[in-house]
Amino acid sequence: MVTKAQKEEQLRAKVLKVAQQLFQQYGLQKVTMDDVARAIGKGKSTLYYYYKSKEEIFDAVVEHEIKDMLAHLRTALAQADTASAKLETFVLTKLRIMRQKVALYNLLYEDITRHYVQEFSERIRQHYLQTEVLMIKEILQLGVDTAEFKGITDLNLDQVAFVLTSGISGIEQHTLLSEQFGPAEENVKLLSRILVQGLKR
Amino acid sequence: MVTKAQKEEQLRAKVLKVAQQLFQQYGLQKVTMDDVARAIGKGKSTLYYYYKSKEEIFDAVVEHEIKDMLAHLRTALAQADTASAKLETFVLTKLRIMRQKVALYNLLYEDITRHYVQEFSERIRQHYLQTEVLMIKEILQLGVDTAEFKGITDLNLDQVAFVLTSGISGIEQHTLLSEQFGPAEENVKLLSRILVQGLKR
DNA sequence: TTTCGACCAAAAAAGTTTTATGGTCTAAAA
DNA sequence: TTTTAGACCATAAAACTTTTTTGGTCGAAA
């Protein structure tokens, strides 16, 4: 027997699931609340019983995608032993997942940054940046703890993590846009290798 | 006595100079051919005697700015002795010049990428990228030649140069937008230091 | 408590009119 | 012969108006 609270939670989850599918099918900006309501067989105002606003639904979908991406990253990182292996795994896995999301949502690479900056809320962007910087920081901390990264023991790991995060995303952006200097995978691996060497000293 | 050809060249140069000043004063998109013509005291169709189109004038102004920026970079690099000193000088000087241009043209940092991608011609963007990659490659070549950079002797320097260029510009973009992880100068120096350590191995 | 049709206000889209602008032409001036 | 510019064209952009869409609310019914 399903409780009232469970039924409500099921409907809330269904709204997000359906919204996500519609976003993928029609694009992030084309989907209306009416679309979502029809797709789950309810009236539009019903959505406002379960969610405060369209933005709340949109943010929840985005957060779910990000959480999914971060989960994949953590799973992949868990299978790498050393800090340097983890850094390489990080850049490659992130690139792979980005390609998948781009294909799934039928986006152009050019549009990723525009969507990210203009439509994702500041809170989500901040949270994502903080989380990514934190993942890199954990890798760096492991490198310091295992004496693999001797070159940064005197540095602020938050700042180092941020610098690496930014550099990596610069590579992602440039090489996804144009692979005239070789495949994106090779480029991010090369950066990872140089960075690792730099961290080890 | 000034020859006809010299007079023509003077007028061509004056058109560019005035166009540049107007772009700085009113923004890259607001200036009309009529504006430029009035500012040099001629009729609009006169401009078309000296230039093929507005785009040709715009491109010439942009190319002049880029040439100016690259000249400053080269001057600064010439004063650094070692490859690692040159890399650090490169990232710091580039950052400084970008701040100057942003102030001069009254731009927002957010708009730099948008202008660069949407308004600068593909040819100019390609040329600029190639030139920047080449400058970095020369630094890397010097590092290899002086045995300062032992870690990349087996690599394709074009690709390494591109990877560094992209990573550096990722840092520039992120830290110019938000200095929550410390001043942009510190961040680019930190990246430079880590990269240099990585290149040395 | 949950649902929804009717409704509202504002935004977005579509359509129309007016103005601006890149560019050309041809004749006049130098 | 070279340089210049006013008039003009076609298109784009801007401004304005009308229509449609959409996020969100309300109150009543289930």
Side-chain angles (χ1 to χ4, degrees):
Chain A
M1 201 278 259
V2 179
T3 69
K4 184 175 74 75
Q6 279 172 318
K7 248 183 97 166
E8 177 174 330
E9 198 47 48
Q10 275 174 347
L11 191 46
R12 291 175 67 90
K14 186 182 173 84
V15 168
L16 293 193
K17 180 70 171 177
V18 166
Q20 182 183 34
Q21 285 164 347
L22 292 172
F23 284 134
Q24 287 170 3
Q25 186 173 353
Y26 298 111
L28 296 175
Q29 285 175 299
K30 274 290 188 189
V31 178
T32 69
M33 291 295 262
D34 226 357
D35 290 336
V36 179
R38 281 191 221 281
I40 64 171
K42 304 273 185 188
K44 184 173 65 173
S45 54
T46 302
L47 300 180
Y48 291 92
Y49 185 78
Y50 296 96
Y51 288 94
K52 184 174 183 303
S53 64
K54 186 188 186 188
E55 185 182 358
E56 192 182 54
I57 295 177
F58 181 82
D59 281 1
V61 169
V62 167
E63 278 170 347
H64 179 270
E65 290 290 357
I66 288 175
K67 182 178 280 186
D68 177 69
M69 178 172 180
L70 294 174
H72 277 86
L73 272 171
R74 287 200 175 88
T75 299
L77 288 182
Q79 293 164 9
D81 292 338
T82 64
S84 47
K86 285 182 189 292
L87 192 63
E88 181 174 281
T89 299
F90 179 90
V91 301
L92 286 174
T93 307
K94 193 187 165 194
L95 195 64
R96 178 171 58 82
I97 299 174
M98 277 179 66
R99 287 193 191 280
Q100 283 170 354
K101 297 300 184 188
V102 153
L104 190 61
Y105 282 86
N106 206 14
L107 293 169
L108 298 174
Y109 288 116
E110 286 85 351
D111 291 333
I112 295 177
T113 305
R114 185 172 59 78
H115 280 301
Y116 181 81
V117 167
Q118 288 174 0
E119 288 152 37
F120 295 10
S121 67
E122 171 67 22
R123 179 181 61 78
I124 288 181
R125 293 205 306 272
Q126 270 304 321
H127 180 259
Y128 178 72
L129 172 66
Q130 300 286 356
T131 307
E132 195 166 294
V133 168
L134 186 59
M135 291 179 85
I136 297 278
K137 185 185 175 186
E138 285 170 7
I139 296 175
L140 295 177
Q141 190 62 63
L142 174 69
V144 167
D145 290 347
T146 60
E148 188 181 0
F149 293 165
K150 295 188 179 65
I152 53 171
T153 53
D154 61 320
L155 296 175
N156 174 0
L157 289 194
D158 283 307
Q159 194 179 11
V160 178
F162 171 75
V163 158
L164 298 197
T165 304
S166 303
I168 289 165
S169 95
I171 294 283
E172 286 164 356
Q173 200 169 334
H174 279 68
T175 54
L176 281 172
L177 288 175
S178 164
E179 297 197 337
Q180 72 187 80
F181 288 93
E185 283 73 16
E186 286 192 20
N187 286 317
V188 296
K189 278 182 70 174
L190 180 52
L191 180 72
S192 170
R193 172 178 154 174
I194 297 171
L195 289 175
V196 158
Q197 292 301 334
L199 297 166
K200 283 183 172 182
R201 280 290 302 273
Chain B
M1 200 277 256
V2 179
T3 70
K4 183 175 75 73
Q6 279 171 318
K7 246 183 100 165
E8 177 175 329
E9 198 46 50
Q10 277 174 347
L11 190 45
R12 292 176 66 91
K14 186 181 173 79
V15 168
L16 293 192
K17 180 68 171 177
V18 166
Q20 182 185 33
Q21 286 164 348
L22 291 171
F23 284 135
Q24 287 169 5
Q25 186 174 352
Y26 297 111
L28 296 174
Q29 285 174 299
K30 275 289 186 186
V31 178
T32 69
M33 291 294 261
D34 225 356
D35 291 337
V36 179
R38 281 192 223 281
I40 65 172
K42 304 275 187 189
K44 184 173 64 172
S45 55
T46 303
L47 299 181
Y48 291 92
Y49 186 79
Y50 296 97
Y51 287 95
K52 184 171 184 304
S53 64
K54 185 189 186 188
E55 184 182 358
E56 192 181 53
I57 294 176
F58 181 82
D59 281 1
V61 169
V62 167
E63 277 169 347
H64 180 269
E65 290 290 357
I66 288 175
K67 182 177 280 188
D68 176 70
M69 177 172 180
L70 294 175
H72 277 86
L73 272 171
R74 285 201 177 89
T75 298
L77 287 182
Q79 292 163 10
D81 293 336
T82 64
S84 47
K86 284 181 189 293
L87 192 63
E88 180 174 284
T89 298
F90 179 91
V91 300
L92 286 175
T93 306
K94 194 187 164 195
L95 195 63
R96 179 171 58 81
I97 299 174
M98 278 179 67
R99 287 193 191 280
Q100 283 170 354
K101 297 300 184 188
V102 154
L104 191 60
Y105 282 85
N106 208 13
L107 293 168
L108 298 174
Y109 288 116
E110 287 83 354
D111 291 333
I112 296 176
T113 305
R114 185 171 59 77
H115 281 301
Y116 181 81
V117 167
Q118 288 175 359
E119 289 153 37
F120 295 9
S121 68
E122 171 66 22
R123 178 181 62 78
I124 288 181
R125 293 205 305 271
Q126 270 304 319
H127 181 258
Y128 179 72
L129 172 65
Q130 300 287 354
T131 307
E132 195 166 296
V133 167
L134 186 60
M135 290 179 87
I136 298 279
K137 184 184 177 186
E138 285 170 6
I139 296 175
L140 295 177
Q141 191 61 64
L142 174 70
V144 167
D145 291 347
T146 58
E148 187 181 0
F149 292 165
K150 295 190 179 67
I152 53 171
T153 52
D154 61 321
L155 295 175
N156 174 359
L157 290 195
D158 283 308
Q159 194 180 12
V160 178
F162 172 73
V163 159
L164 298 198
T165 304
S166 302
I168 290 165
S169 97
I171 295 283
E172 286 164 356
Q173 198 168 335
H174 279 69
T175 54
L176 281 173
L177 288 175
S178 162
E179 297 196 338
Q180 71 187 80
F181 288 93
E185 282 73 16
E186 285 192 20
N187 285 317
V188 297
K189 279 181 70 173
L190 180 52
L191 180 72
S192 170
R193 171 180 153 173
I194 297 172
L195 289 175
V196 159
Q197 294 299 338
L199 296 166
K200 284 183 173 182
R201 282 293 299 271

